[in-house]
Amino acid sequence: MSEVSWELLEHQIAACQRCCLCRGATHKVPGQGDRSAPLMLIGEGPGYQEDQQGLAFVGPAGQLLTRMLAAIGLPRERVYICNTVKCRPPNNRTPEFAETQACLIHLRMQVQLVRPKVILLLGSTAARVAINPSLRITHERGIWVERKGVWMLPTYHPSALLHDPAKKREAWEDLQRLRDKLQELGLYPDLYGQEAAHGDV
Ligand code: URA
């Protein structure tokens, strides 16, 4: 098995020309956060702000995501956040399947490095890449999928919640499922230990 390292990942993403998206990128957006987090979040792809700053989920959807995590008592710095594609698609269009496949080599390496126990899949693009290419987010959100000991939960993308606030109720249910799973697995014991479980969430 080839050696993986954060240095190799960074170099591999910086040098990547595996699809056309790299041509329009101001900055590539590898992802950031706690590199040994038990929870990984995977979004779709960088938007305008992310492309400008080289950081994932720093625009309006990212701000909502930060508030959503805070609502279950989880500081954003305690998770690792990345996207299916590391370069911004033109006009924020949805990445094409071929683009997500070209970028999968980076995502796989990130999963190998972080070794998360739980993955929250934000939106249909991430859920299709990780679970099933024909997944329908409206039907399959909120349903846990376990693969090789890793628990994955598809939910709505925060941008979808900004466009359609009626989806927020289901998204909140998914967040509670996430919090319950983290507690059941004994992850983040300082946040979800017995005392915290009876706290004010
Ligand atoms: N939407 C995403 O899917 N990812 C980001 O990083 C920002 C917005």
Side-chain angles (χ1 to χ4, degrees), residues 43-47 50 55-57 61 83 157 159:
E44 183 175 289
E50 290 78 19
L55 293 168
F57 279 103
N83 285 301
H157 192 286
S159 296

Side-chain angles (χ1 to χ4, degrees), residues 7 22 30 32 50 52 79 84 86-87 110 136 150 178:
E7 292 69 30
C22 63
Q32 77 271 2
E50 290 78 19
Q52 292 293 305
V79 308
T84 60
K86 314 306 185 201
C87 298
Q110 281 171 310
R136 292 173 68 186
V150 179
L178 172 65

Side-chain angles (χ1 to χ4, degrees), residues 43 91 102 151 164 175:
N91 304 314
W151 290 92
D164 181 4
L175 280 173

Side-chain angles (χ1 to χ4, degrees), residues 71-150:
I72 57 162
L74 190 51
R76 179 182 160 141
E77 316 76 66
R78 301 280 304 270
V79 308
Y80 187 82
I81 307 184
C82 61
N83 285 301
T84 60
V85 295
K86 314 306 185 201
C87 298
R88 182 191 182 203
N91 304 314
N92 295 344
R93 69 160 168 74
T94 304
E96 289 170 8
F97 184 70
E99 291 161 348
T100 63
Q101 292 306 296
C103 214
L104 197 51
I105 183 175
H106 309 311
L107 187 60
R108 284 210 171 111
M109 195 181 286
Q110 281 171 310
V111 173
Q112 255 183 290
L113 288 164
V114 178
R115 304 183 67 81
K117 302 280 189 299
V118 177
I119 301 180
L120 185 66
L121 300 162
L122 300 165
S124 60
T125 302
R128 286 175 181 170
V129 166
I131 298 178
N132 168 4
S134 54
L135 178 144
R136 292 173 68 186
I137 197 73
T138 46
H139 291 194
E140 291 169 62
R141 55 142 281 281
I143 301 174
W144 285 104
V145 174
E146 189 261 348
R147 298 243 175 103
K148 296 183 187 166
V150 179

